[in-house]
Amino acid sequence: MAEEEGPPVELRQRKKPKSSEKESAKEERINDIPIPERAPKYVLFQRFAKIFIGCLAAVTSGMMYALYLSAYHERKFWFSNRQELEREITFQGDSAIYYSYYKDMLKAPSFERGVYELTHNNKTVSLKTINAVQQMSLYPELIASVLYQATGSNEIIEPVYFYIGIVFGLQGIYVTALFVTSWLMSGTWLAGMLTVAWFIINRVDTTRIEYSIPLRENWALPYFACQVAALTGYLKSNLNTYGERFCYLLMSASTYTFMMMWEYSHYLLFLQAISLFLLDIFSLKQSDKVYEVYKIYVFSLFLGYLLQFENPALLVSPLLSLVAALMLAKCLQLNVKKGSFVAKIIKMINFYLVCTLTITLNIIMKMFVPHKENGHMLKFLEVKFGLNMTNGKSLKETVTLEDGRIGERPEIIYHVIHTILLGSLAMVIEGLKYIWIPYVCMLAAFGVCSPELWMTLFKWLRLRTVHPILLALILSMAVPTIIGLSLWKEFFPRLMTELMELQEFYDPDTVELMTWIKRQAPVAAVFAGSPQLMGAIKLCTGWMVTSLPLYNDDDLLKRNENIYQIYSKRSAEDIYKILTSYKANYLIVEDAICNEVGTMRGCRVKDLLDIANGHMVCEEGDKLTYSKYGRFCHEVKINYSPYVNYFTRVYWNRSYFVYKINTVISFQS
């Protein structure tokens, strides 16, 4: 028996050299290398040091950016040396409304009473009771007021500093989240440092925090950045169970918080869902994870619907329709071999099914759910794709550096698709650039810092003269270092100069106007004027106004359009009827709007009003008539009949003219 067993053993040994020389050489090298006893501890310490330094850099970057914003804001407005009224005037337009409700919450005898007064508010807009919490997404102000009183900060810091400090802190979290996302994608925290640098240098296009602090996007986008960072980690193939669970929980919490902070958040999540759908179409092995993200969307939408006073906009949102269609299509999917002809046909059917179901469900929801859509619906852009990632081959579980196949990493594909979608919309809607450009900075930093991307590039170029892995590692360190040093040399002195310059926000005319209102106007008076000025009056004086700078309510939009007629060519009687229909007692005419000089014809407020009223010829062929009345804001200043019969001037300075609306009209020549 021993002699008969010998040959098979000998044959097995002879098969070994027939394997590829590369594999045998690799096995020999691995077997020959002596493994020291302390190697696992050394590797563990190295990983810990890398993570610790990266986390320290990420947190430090966020803190430094928040401190920079605070210092810049102080230098720009000379904030600490101003009186409370002058500080409040720095909040412009809708920002003034948000901060005014924060003040109202602090003045309320209890939190419950404050919330009730905001949800049944009849002290802001004349002849109108509004749910300010729902209509203006005042959840940030509710949270800020609770934190201010619960932490005992009222004995340490002024309310305005606490309020803007929270927003600046959130911006620090925003930067930290971008840092972490770029780090997760590239594998090096140098990419995070470069992302932060580009974000700050291009801050004119990456954020509007310098111009309007309380904007809803400034409260919401940091949470979206955290959600994107968690999603990036969640989509990674080599993530352990604990890391996956942490990313899932963070993603769930940040998705819901983001949805509560901003009324337009579900549109941005809709674009994200499209990106994930396209990622799933590529047949990568992350379908189950993508499906779990869909569940997070559904949970956040319905929980937000309940806690946002049954907000119908969430039920008719395209996000809910898309996710419902994706889940239905998921249930109908068949298990077929990836890359086969049948699989490709099923992909096309699945894509068509999802698009059709999304549109159908959205139409059905709008038919049965009463709602008032705002006019800022983002159009669904058709995405044309034909990239085939598999060619019939199954993807590797782990893609190594020498493979040069970074295009197979699902988190990378997601970010590329999402950035392209945001960029396409940013070309049409300028306001979206503040969402798009931060991710462009992050993606660019990843591109120059990722050894895998360099390796993929070398593979495409078929570089063989230099060892590609060594060159990729060198370039991924050298290129960001060179870029970082050049940015430091060119832009760091500019940032320091900005912080050293003492700017001054000087607006004495507005201060005088607010002071006069608080001293001379009756408490029950109602003021009419431009929506931006009405927001400042509500904040600085607390008096009731006829309109607000908000554009998600049909009635307020109509009010704004009617009140703006004071700058049109309408009769005194027409203006009087409009103002008295809203129970206005005082009218404020702004000289900056009345005498506005614009470089582009037809873009001024008064030009738009004339076009809407048919009182101006802008282009050849337009059949518009000229008004027999002069411009009201000019004529009312002259003090002649019939204007003096309807309006009596009670105050004026270089910028504002205040007229009392007469209750008893006397027509005297």
Side-chain angles (χ1 to χ4, degrees):
M1 293 295 293
E3 292 179 358
E4 292 178 359
E5 292 176 358
V9 174
E10 189 174 352
L11 286 173
R12 292 192 192 102
Q13 291 176 347
R14 288 174 182 173
K15 283 183 178 180
K16 191 173 181 180
K18 291 183 180 180
S19 60
S20 63
E21 296 181 1
K22 185 176 180 180
E23 292 181 358
S24 61
K26 186 182 294 186
E27 291 178 0
E28 290 178 1
R29 286 198 299 268
I30 293 174
N31 294 329
D32 293 340
I33 295 176
I35 302 176
E37 294 181 359
R38 297 186 178 181
K41 293 184 178 179
Y42 175 76
V43 172
L44 184 63
F45 175 78
Q46 189 178 26
R47 289 179 180 176
F48 175 78
K50 180 181 178 181
I51 294 174
F52 176 78
I53 294 174
C55 292
L56 182 63
V59 174
T60 302
S61 299
M63 292 178 60
M64 293 299 293
Y65 180 62
L67 292 174
Y68 165 77
L69 288 177
S70 179
Y72 181 78
H73 182 263
E74 172 64 25
R75 292 286 180 174
K76 182 178 181 180
F77 294 108
W78 212 357
F79 213 64
S80 60
N81 296 317
R82 293 187 175 276
Q83 300 296 323
E84 182 180 5
L85 178 60
E86 294 176 315
R87 292 175 182 172
E88 292 177 348
I89 288 175
T90 61
F91 294 99
Q92 301 288 319
D94 52 350
S95 299
I97 298 297
Y98 297 132
Y99 183 72
S100 70
Y101 287 123
Y102 168 71
K103 283 180 58 180
D104 292 343
M105 283 297 300
L106 296 181
K107 294 177 182 177
S110 66
F111 177 77
E112 293 79 8
R113 183 62 187 176
V115 173
Y116 178 82
E117 291 179 353
L118 291 185
T119 54
H120 302 79
N121 186 279
N122 58 0
K123 299 179 181 179
T124 299
V125 183
S126 61
L127 301 178
K128 189 175 178 66
T129 299
I130 60 175
N131 185 342
V133 177
Q134 177 188 6
Q135 195 162 346
M136 304 177 193
S137 299
L138 295 181
Y139 298 97
E141 283 67 33
L142 298 182
I143 297 173
S145 63
V146 170
L147 291 176
Y148 182 72
Q149 295 175 334
T151 58
S153 300
N154 51 346
E155 301 176 357
I156 304 173
I157 189 174
E158 297 179 50
V160 64
Y161 281 108
F162 186 83
Y163 184 81
I164 64 177
I166 292 179
V167 183
F168 291 156
L170 285 174
Q171 298 306 301
I173 295 175
Y174 189 8
V175 166
T176 300
L178 293 175
F179 184 110
V180 172
T181 305
S182 186
W183 181 12
L184 288 172
M185 293 170 62
S186 63
T188 172
W189 51 266
L190 286 177
M193 297 292 290
L194 201 56
T195 300
V196 174
W198 275 331
F199 180 90
I200 297 175
I201 290 170
N202 298 282
R203 68 187 185 281
V204 177
D205 297 318
T206 57
T207 178
R208 289 194 287 183
I209 189 70
E210 296 180 10
Y211 309 106
S212 187
I213 294 175
L215 285 179
R216 301 299 86 178
E217 63 190 61
N218 293 334
W219 288 89
L221 289 180
Y223 295 102
F224 181 67
C226 292
Q227 190 256 15
V228 171
L231 179 60
T232 303
Y234 185 69
L235 291 176
K236 291 179 73 69
S237 302
N238 56 348
L239 194 64
N240 58 42
T241 305
Y242 295 104
E244 186 176 305
R245 189 176 302 171
F246 172 77
C247 290
Y248 183 83
L249 293 175
L250 177 59
M251 185 167 45
S252 302
S254 55
T255 300
Y256 171 70
T257 308
F258 174 57
M259 195 170 293
M260 294 293 291
M261 292 291 175
W262 196 21
E263 60 182 321
Y264 301 125
S265 58
H266 55 91
Y267 293 124
L268 193 54
L269 293 174
F270 172 64
L271 293 180
Q272 187 182 74
I274 295 175
S275 304
L276 292 172
F277 169 54
L278 295 178
L279 171 64
D280 193 22
I281 287 293
F282 288 149
S283 294
L284 296 172
K285 294 187 177 181
Q286 300 295 341
S287 296
D288 294 336
K289 289 186 176 181
V290 171
Y291 188 70
E292 292 298 322
V293 178
Y294 296 157
K295 292 180 181 179
I296 294 176
Y297 291 151
V298 174
F299 173 79
S300 300
L301 281 169
F302 281 105
L303 188 59
Y305 169 76
L306 295 176
L307 296 182
Q308 290 184 9
F309 306 93
E310 298 182 355
N311 184 6
L314 296 180
L315 292 183
V316 299
S317 67
L319 175 63
L320 181 59
S321 302
L322 176 61
V323 172
L326 289 169
M327 288 185 167
L328 288 174
K330 179 76 173 180
C331 297
L332 299 176
Q333 280 184 352
L334 300 175
N335 293 324
V336 294
K337 185 178 179 181
K338 295 180 181 179
S340 63
F341 178 75
V342 177
K344 294 177 181 179
I345 296 297
I346 291 179
K347 283 182 187 178
M348 297 175 61
I349 297 174
N350 183 54
F351 183 80
Y352 174 77
L353 180 64
V354 169
C355 295
T356 306
L357 281 175
T358 300
I359 298 173
T360 304
L361 290 174
N362 193 254
I363 293 174
I364 293 174
M365 292 298 291
K366 289 182 178 180
M367 288 175 60
F368 291 97
V369 178
H371 67 284
K372 290 184 178 180
E373 286 283 0
N374 52 58
H376 305 285
M377 286 283 292
L378 299 179
K379 296 182 179 179
F380 179 83
L381 300 179
E382 293 182 359
V383 181
K384 203 172 184 180
F385 64 95
L387 183 60
N388 190 351
M389 294 296 300
T390 58
N391 294 321
K393 299 178 181 179
S394 60
L395 296 177
K396 292 176 61 177
E397 290 290 341
T398 303
V399 179
T400 59
L401 175 60
E402 58 267 19
D403 290 329
R405 293 160 61 182
I406 197 171
E408 295 180 3
R409 288 174 54 187
E411 69 273 19
I412 304 300
I413 298 176
Y414 157 72
H415 278 288
V416 171
I417 296 174
H418 196 194
T419 304
I420 291 174
L421 288 178
L422 283 175
S424 302
L425 290 177
M427 300 300 176
V428 180
I429 305 172
E430 185 179 2
L432 286 178
K433 73 176 183 179
Y434 299 104
I435 304 174
W436 174 54
I437 293 182
Y439 292 96
V440 172
C441 297
M442 180 189 65
L443 208 60
F446 151 75
V448 298
C449 296
S450 174
E452 293 179 75
L453 188 60
W454 287 107
M455 191 63 197
T456 304
L457 178 62
F458 296 153
K459 189 174 181 180
W460 288 348
L461 297 176
R462 298 182 179 179
L463 182 66
R464 292 190 177 89
T465 55
V466 183
H467 198 285
I469 298 179
L470 179 62
L471 185 60
L473 292 173
I474 293 174
L475 289 178
S476 64
M477 296 286 289
V479 173
T481 302
I482 295 172
I483 294 175
L485 291 175
S486 62
L487 293 177
W488 177 277
K489 181 179 180 181
E490 182 177 357
F491 292 99
F492 183 75
R494 298 184 188 180
L495 296 177
M496 292 298 102
T497 302
E498 290 179 353
L499 294 180
M500 295 300 295
E501 289 182 353
L502 269 177
Q503 305 180 40
E504 187 173 4
F505 182 79
Y506 186 67
D507 192 3
D509 293 342
T510 304
V511 173
E512 292 174 3
L513 173 65
M514 301 303 170
T515 303
W516 180 87
I517 293 174
K518 295 173 72 173
R519 292 178 179 176
Q520 302 296 329
V523 177
V526 178
F527 285 83
S530 69
Q532 289 73 23
L533 181 60
M534 295 301 101
I537 289 177
K538 170 64 177 68
L539 169 61
C540 298
T541 68
W543 263 245
M544 191 175 290
V545 295
T546 57
S547 59
L548 292 175
L550 299 172
Y551 310 102
N552 57 357
D553 183 86
D554 293 338
D555 181 63
L556 288 176
L557 282 174
K558 189 63 177 178
R559 283 176 178 244
N560 293 342
E561 182 181 350
N562 290 336
I563 298 298
Y564 263 128
Q565 295 298 322
I566 62 178
Y567 300 104
S568 67
K569 298 177 180 179
R570 300 280 294 271
S571 66
E573 183 180 2
D574 289 344
I575 301 299
Y576 180 82
K577 289 180 179 179
I578 291 173
L579 296 176
T580 53
S581 67
Y582 297 120
K583 301 297 181 182
N585 305 117
Y586 291 89
L587 168 66
I588 303 178
V589 176
E590 297 174 63
D591 197 59
I593 300 178
C594 188
N595 298 321
E596 182 182 3
V597 179
T599 56
M600 295 184 64
R601 186 182 180 186
C603 293
R604 299 173 298 181
V605 171
K606 52 187 179 183
D607 295 339
L608 297 175
L609 290 169
D610 291 343
I611 295 172
N613 296 333
H615 295 158
M616 183 178 180
V617 178
C618 277
E619 299 179 1
E620 296 182 2
D622 287 345
K623 297 180 180 180
L624 304 178
T625 60
Y626 287 93
S627 175
K628 63 180 180 180
Y629 303 105
R631 195 169 302 281
F632 175 82
C633 62
H634 289 155
E635 301 297 324
V636 74
K637 297 177 184 178
I638 304 177
N639 287 332
Y640 70 93
S641 184
Y643 296 92
V644 294
N645 301 324
Y646 295 101
F647 308 97
T648 302
R649 187 166 64 188
V650 293
Y651 173 81
W652 72 94
N653 58 30
R654 292 176 301 177
S655 302
Y656 303 102
F657 294 81
V658 182
Y659 297 89
K660 189 177 186 304
I661 302 173
N662 299 331
T663 55
V664 179
I665 303 174
S666 174
F667 289 92
Q668 298 178 358
S669 57

